Amino acid sequence: LKDFRHEDNYNSYAQQDGRYADNAANDEDGASSDATEGHDDEDEIYEGEYQGVPAHNDGKQRDGQVALGQPVSDSLKSQKELENERQADEEELAQQYELIMQECGHGRFQWQLFFVLGLALMSDGVEVFVVGFVLPSAETDMCVPNSGAGWLGSIVYLGMMFGAFFWGGLSDKLGRKQCLLISMSVNGFFAFLSSFVQGYSMFLLCRMVSGFGIGGAVPIVFSYFAEVLAREKRGEHLSWLCMFWMIGGIYASAMAWAIIPHYGWSFSMGSAYQFHSWRVFVVVCALPCVSAVVALTFMPESPRFFLEMGKHDEAWMVLKQIHDTNMRARGEPERVFTVNRIKIPKQLDELVELQSESSNPVLKIWLTFMKCFDYPVRDNTIKLAAVWFTLSFGFYGLSVWFPDVIKHLQADEYASRVKIHNSERIEDFTFNFTLENQIHRNGVFLNDRFISMKFKAVTFIDSSFLNCYFEDVSSVGSFFKNCTFVDSFFYNTDIDDSKLTNSRVINSSFHHNKTGCQMTFDDDYSAYWVYFVNFLGTLAVLPGNIVSALLMDKIGRLSMLGGSMVLSGISCFFLWFGTSESMMIFMLCLYNGLSISAWNSLDVVTTELYPTDRRGTGFGFCNAMCKLAAVLGNLIFGSLVGITKAIPILLASSVLVGGGLVGLRLPDTRANVLM
């Protein structure tokens, strides 16, 4: 075993055959590079020796030095001096860690972690798209009044906002893997539970807690993966990782398209409980999260986080695992991990602070968050928050506006084909087919039978039903206004007080009425079309993802970020000229394809700008601003659908261009090592 206690040689790393070794150790006779036997001069066994972990200090002071990893006496130095020394240690660790990651190489371990974290990021994409796909079905199924409509979208984003801030901050204290496991488990459990609850308030609560859990995915995933990548690989592979968010959107769109419109997939549990197809869709969308939790249990903690916490032995073991995994995959299992000592930041004496915050994790997160507004990262935090907010406001606002505009265009076209019947009189006739998109005024129906049929978007106004028989009738978007029912019989129908507006019912009876709000997607062209449009819009992101990954390290993060946002704003402006469904769909695809490069660049820049001790917190705060902008975008853009095109288009274009110009003012991180 090398003598790891020569402080004079602490920083003497020389590259030999692609390895970094201690020069003094190489001069010793019988030195072993695999660090599998460890003892000091007095044959004392240090902690970790049984695992082959090299010692990083001997607990002794020499020549006035303080042993590595031990706190400097507060009586000798001021807090400012201690902080300066820690800053110097962190800078030295960042440089050394970059050399270590280069020795570990990029191979099987990184790809394994890539797919595991990709599943977690995919779950975040699924959660975002589930909101829009489930919203119409859930509100109809649960008989949500107009006053409660739209709360689902906002409350899920609010949960994700608080979750991003909380889990991101907690990951800087407890670790990337542990926090990601807990947050994903919360998301998976409550997402699964939400598919079974009946009341809308309980459904909102479950989706909010589910969003709170998944909120930790983005800040932790990018922090975690960046910390096992060498500098020359970081931009490209973080961009490839972003593709899983797109895959999550494609997965959610495809599953919604394949599952939700199939009303026949539903089943009943008792007389009142209905498990409709949209609930099946919610269960299916929880599968990526469950898969991520299972796979994540087999991955180690971030070694960079261990070093930041002063856990030298744990970090060394993980780094050796990365090295050995990659070397075995290359067919070079004989190559030895030659790193024998790793610089760790000086652990300051924080006894007073620990006593006040040890039992309060929220306070820990808040104190770390306040450090994000300290010099020198304060200006970067403000700029990043502004870019995240503007990009998200435009993206999520238009994501709500696009489908609703298409629905509005379809509704206008549908209404233009309505058939109007005036003063008709129908006697002794049996209706056993679908009546659709019709208006009947001043009609008289005498001795008629309505059996096993459907009213779809049919309105009866000032009509009379005399001695009529209704059996197995469903009415979707249909109403009876100022109508009169005399001596009529209703059996197994969904015609109730909500469908009878200012109508009189005389000597008529209702038996075995259908309970709850009835849903149907049979022959619902609009439902299929909306899911298909979202699928196309998500798929259009693929070219932009590929381009951004290939060019991220070549043209730079800032050029990619600013250029993408400005081009997105310009493409958004051309929506002004969209007058048809096909034109709007084309612009949706173009906008998504251009904006994805901005998202990828922003993820990379945010990861690289923050030091390790506040990377999760800073990223979590920026992502929380992203979700806040999503809530505001949903409310503002959703209220403007069908009213005017000018305000949404000009608002989205201006904030995107403005955010892009702010992004160009951020520092270039292409050559940065992870601090």
Side-chain angles (χ1 to χ4, degrees):
L1 176 68
K2 299 176 183 178
D3 184 357
F4 300 115
R5 299 182 302 278
H6 285 44
E7 297 295 332
D8 295 337
N9 297 310
Y10 178 78
N11 294 320
S12 56
Y13 281 83
Q15 184 172 355
Q16 301 174 356
D17 301 328
R19 306 180 180 92
Y20 293 87
D22 188 296
N23 291 340
N26 291 336
D27 294 334
E28 295 186 11
D29 295 334
S32 173
S33 62
D34 59 1
T36 55
E37 299 177 359
H39 55 82
D40 58 17
D41 293 340
E42 292 80 16
D43 292 329
E44 294 179 357
I45 300 177
Y46 57 81
E47 182 181 2
E49 179 187 6
Y50 70 95
Q51 294 177 314
V53 181
H56 60 283
N57 65 75
D58 60 356
K60 301 177 182 178
Q61 297 183 12
R62 300 186 178 182
D63 301 328
Q65 294 181 347
V66 178
L68 188 64
Q70 296 184 357
V72 178
S73 173
D74 290 341
S75 63
L76 300 179
K77 296 184 179 181
S78 67
Q79 184 69 20
K80 183 176 181 180
E81 291 176 322
L82 293 174
E83 291 175 352
N84 290 337
E85 289 187 12
R86 177 179 173 87
Q87 179 66 26
D89 287 347
E90 289 178 342
E91 293 176 357
E92 185 176 340
L93 169 60
Q95 298 293 337
Q96 183 186 349
Y97 190 79
E98 181 64 31
L99 297 177
I100 294 173
M101 292 313 304
Q102 291 177 7
E103 178 175 347
C104 291
H106 188 92
R108 176 178 293 175
F109 179 87
Q110 280 85 357
W111 285 112
Q112 288 174 344
L113 186 61
F114 173 80
F115 286 106
V116 172
L117 297 179
L119 285 172
L121 194 59
M122 178 181 172
S123 302
D124 181 85
V126 168
E127 188 76 19
V128 169
F129 282 88
V130 164
V131 174
F133 293 148
V134 165
L135 188 60
S137 302
E139 290 178 343
T140 301
D141 187 23
M142 297 179 179
C143 307
V144 179
N146 291 333
S147 59
W151 270 103
L152 177 58
S154 299
I155 204 166
V156 169
Y157 284 127
L158 285 174
M160 297 174 76
M161 179 183 72
F162 288 108
F165 183 79
F166 178 80
W167 296 112
L170 199 62
S171 70
D172 286 333
K173 299 299 181 182
L174 300 183
R176 318 302 190 204
K177 174 187 173 180
Q178 184 175 352
C179 286
L180 187 58
L181 268 175
I182 298 173
S183 65
M184 296 296 292
S185 299
V186 170
N187 169 249
F189 176 78
F190 282 94
F192 184 79
L193 183 64
S194 68
S195 67
F196 293 95
V197 298
Q198 287 292 288
Y200 190 60
S201 58
M202 283 301 299
F203 182 75
L204 285 177
L205 177 62
C206 288
R207 295 313 301 187
M208 182 183 68
V209 179
S210 174
F212 176 78
I214 200 61
V218 172
I220 299 177
V221 160
F222 284 100
S223 300
Y224 193 171
F225 195 49
E227 291 168 358
V228 296
L229 294 173
R231 177 173 50 196
E232 66 272 10
K233 299 286 186 181
R234 199 162 55 235
E236 177 184 352
H237 287 271
L238 285 176
S239 298
W240 288 125
L241 184 64
C242 294
M243 291 187 66
F244 279 93
W245 197 92
M246 175 205 69
I247 294 173
I250 293 176
Y251 175 82
S253 301
M255 292 299 102
W257 191 17
I259 296 174
I260 295 180
H262 293 282
Y263 180 72
W265 288 18
S266 63
F267 61 90
S268 300
M269 299 172 62
S271 59
Y273 188 89
Q274 298 285 330
F275 197 90
H276 291 299
S277 55
W278 69 267
R279 297 181 182 272
V280 178
F281 167 70
V282 171
V283 172
V284 171
C285 285
L287 296 181
C289 178
V290 175
S291 302
V293 170
V294 173
L296 192 60
T297 57
F298 297 96
M299 304 306 298
E301 180 57 84
S302 164
R304 188 66 177 82
F305 170 79
F306 276 146
L307 291 174
E308 192 67 27
M309 295 294 105
K311 299 180 179 181
H312 172 276
D313 293 354
E314 293 89 338
W316 189 91
M317 291 294 293
V318 175
L319 290 170
K320 186 175 187 300
Q321 176 185 348
I322 297 174
H323 175 275
D324 293 348
T325 300
N326 291 339
M327 292 307 110
R328 284 194 300 268
R330 291 183 184 179
E332 303 177 24
E334 72 281 357
R335 291 197 62 176
V336 177
F337 184 51
T338 61
V339 175
N340 52 37
R341 191 193 310 276
I342 308 173
K343 182 74 173 179
I344 58 176
K346 189 178 298 296
Q347 302 301 300
L348 304 182
D349 185 5
E350 299 175 338
L351 180 60
V352 175
E353 181 182 351
L354 289 175
Q355 286 177 341
S356 63
E357 61 170 310
S358 59
S359 60
N360 192 341
V362 176
L363 180 58
K364 289 183 180 181
I365 296 172
W366 179 255
L367 293 175
T368 306
F369 168 65
M370 295 306 296
K371 292 181 181 178
C372 293
F373 290 90
D374 291 341
Y375 179 83
V377 298
R378 178 186 59 211
D379 291 343
N380 293 339
T381 298
I382 296 173
K383 292 175 184 177
L384 282 172
V387 178
W388 275 94
F389 186 91
T390 54
L391 180 58
S392 176
F393 184 82
F395 179 83
Y396 286 104
L398 289 177
S399 296
V400 171
W401 189 68
F402 269 126
D404 283 349
V405 165
I406 292 176
K407 289 180 183 178
H408 187 73
L409 291 173
Q410 290 177 341
D412 288 344
E413 183 182 359
Y414 187 77
S416 67
R417 301 196 306 265
V418 65
K419 296 179 181 179
I420 300 177
H421 303 269
N422 291 313
S423 303
E424 59 186 342
R425 180 182 179 90
I426 302 176
E427 299 183 33
D428 299 316
F429 186 82
T430 299
F431 294 87
N432 54 6
F433 47 87
T434 298
L435 295 181
E436 180 178 0
N437 199 18
Q438 299 178 5
I439 296 177
H440 297 262
R441 298 179 183 272
N442 299 313
V444 176
F445 299 87
L446 181 61
N447 298 323
D448 293 324
R449 296 169 61 86
F450 300 84
I451 300 178
S452 300
M453 55 91 59
K454 179 197 304 181
F455 295 113
K456 184 177 181 182
V458 178
T459 303
F460 294 91
I461 302 175
D462 298 324
S463 298
S464 301
F465 297 84
L466 308 176
N467 195 30
C468 292
Y469 181 82
F470 297 82
E471 181 179 353
D472 293 329
V473 174
S474 62
S475 55
V476 179
S478 299
F479 301 94
F480 300 85
K481 299 180 179 180
N482 300 320
C483 294
T484 302
F485 296 86
V486 179
D487 296 328
S488 296
F489 185 85
F490 297 83
Y491 179 81
N492 194 32
T493 72
D494 62 355
I495 300 174
D496 54 19
D497 291 339
S498 64
K499 306 290 180 69
L500 305 176
T501 305
N502 296 326
S503 296
R504 296 184 301 165
V505 180
I506 302 173
N507 197 28
S508 300
S509 58
F510 295 80
H511 298 273
H512 200 267
N513 250 31
K514 297 178 181 179
T515 59
C517 297
Q518 304 302 311
M519 300 173 55
T520 178
F521 286 95
D522 298 340
D523 303 320
D524 194 342
Y525 168 79
S526 175
Y528 279 103
W529 187 243
V530 169
Y531 299 141
F532 179 67
V533 168
N534 278 277
F535 178 80
L536 287 179
T538 309
L539 195 61
V541 169
L542 180 60
N545 254 317
I546 296 175
V547 170
S548 63
L550 295 177
L551 299 181
M552 186 68 68
D553 291 317
K554 293 182 173 61
I555 69 174
R557 288 88 158 112
L558 301 187
S559 299
M560 186 83 70
L561 173 61
S564 176
M565 290 187 69
V566 171
L567 289 176
S568 299
I570 295 174
S571 69
C572 176
F573 178 77
F574 283 97
L575 287 170
W576 197 301
F577 307 100
T579 56
S580 64
E581 290 183 40
S582 57
M583 176 63 76
M584 298 296 290
I585 293 170
F586 172 77
M587 296 306 301
L588 167 66
C589 295
L590 178 62
Y591 171 77
N592 285 350
L594 290 173
S595 64
I596 191 61
S597 296
W599 285 109
N600 294 359
S601 305
L602 193 55
D603 289 330
V604 175
V605 170
T606 306
T607 302
E608 294 176 332
L609 276 179
Y610 284 105
T612 303
D613 65 337
R614 67 199 91 164
R615 181 169 296 120
T617 303
F619 206 132
F621 167 68
C622 291
N623 202 248
M625 295 300 295
C626 167
K627 298 306 185 290
L628 175 61
V631 173
L632 296 177
N634 271 275
L635 296 176
I636 295 174
F637 284 76
S639 63
L640 297 174
V641 173
I643 300 176
T644 177
K645 291 172 59 176
I647 296 178
I649 291 172
L650 293 177
L651 186 60
S653 297
S654 59
V655 298
L656 287 170
V657 173
L661 296 177
V662 173
L664 291 172
R665 305 281 295 179
L666 289 166
D668 190 2
T669 60
R670 211 180 340 178
N672 286 10
V673 293
L674 286 182
M675 291 295 294

